[in-house]
């Protein structure tokens, strides 16, 4: 079981990036996927998550209206489209996999312990 996060980079404020989370060794179809991020000197925080079907998605207030999570189960990949990036979005971004029940409550969907497998992280740096 492996998750590979990619797509990070350096971008100016106001720019866009699309992160990808690709799975190998298993199919993502039955799992919820979450994106988390950790800024220097800060705790890791949840950013967005999506249900196994893709019909449900959730966002932290700080990224609502700017980030969009989606999934393509045929490609075994989940995406995080990030627009209107701000310097405060600078962080290492991680994707993580959890059971479908992970999204059952507000608390559950942002609890890291509910996510069983984690990708290695991809750095996003937004310059002002």
């Amino acid at each position: 079981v492996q998750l590979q996060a990619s797509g990070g980079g350096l971008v100016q404020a106001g720019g866009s990036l699309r992160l990808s989370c690709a799975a190998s060794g298993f199919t993502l179809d039955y799992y919820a996927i979450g994106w988390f991020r950790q800024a220097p000197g800060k705790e890791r925080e949840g950013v967005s998550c999506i249900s196994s079907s893709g019909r449900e998605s959730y966002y932290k207030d700080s990224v609502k209206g700017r980030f969009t999570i989606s999934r393509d189960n045929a490609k075994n990949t989940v995406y995080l489209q990030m627009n209107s990036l701000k310097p405060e979005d600078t962080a290492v971004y991680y994707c993580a996999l959890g059971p479908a029940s992970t999204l059952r409550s507000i608390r559950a969907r942002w609890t890291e312990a509910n996510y069983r497998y984690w990708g290695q992280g991809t750095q996003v740096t937004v310059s002002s």
Side-chain angles (χ1 to χ4, degrees), residues 97-120:
L97 176 148
S101 60
T102 303
L103 272 59
R104 66 187 182 277
S105 71
I106 295 175
R107 183 173 183 175
R109 66 185 68 123
W110 305 124
T111 299
E112 293 185 27
N114 290 335
Y115 292 84
R116 299 175 182 174
Y117 298 102
W118 291 75
Q120 84 292 356

Side-chain angles (χ1 to χ4, degrees), residues 2-121:
Q2 189 172 11
L3 293 175
Q4 181 77 33
S6 63
L10 174 63
V11 64
Q12 289 189 332
S16 299
L17 285 173
R18 188 177 78 157
L19 305 184
S20 298
C21 177
S24 59
F26 67 102
T27 178
L28 287 178
D29 291 21
Y30 306 109
Y31 299 98
I33 299 293
W35 282 99
F36 291 74
R37 67 185 181 187
Q38 187 167 23
K42 294 186 177 181
E43 292 187 353
R44 191 157 56 185
E45 63 172 353
V47 174
S48 181
C49 52
I50 189 168
S51 64
S52 56
S53 66
R55 288 193 289 267
E56 298 172 53
S57 59
Y58 302 94
Y59 302 90
K60 278 296 186 72
D61 287 345
S62 57
V63 305
K64 276 182 183 176
R66 299 188 299 120
F67 289 12
T68 303
I69 192 170
S70 62
R71 65 191 299 157
D72 185 340
N73 285 347
K75 294 184 177 179
N76 224 24
T77 302
V78 173
Y79 304 98
L80 185 67
Q81 178 67 43
M82 305 187 297
N83 298 330
S84 301
L85 283 162
K86 304 175 181 180
E88 51 264 44
D89 295 319
T90 295
V92 178
Y93 284 71
Y94 300 88
C95 60
L97 176 148
S101 60
T102 303
L103 272 59
R104 66 187 182 277
S105 71
I106 295 175
R107 183 173 183 175
R109 66 185 68 123
W110 305 124
T111 299
E112 293 185 27
N114 290 335
Y115 292 84
R116 299 175 182 174
Y117 298 102
W118 291 75
Q120 84 292 356

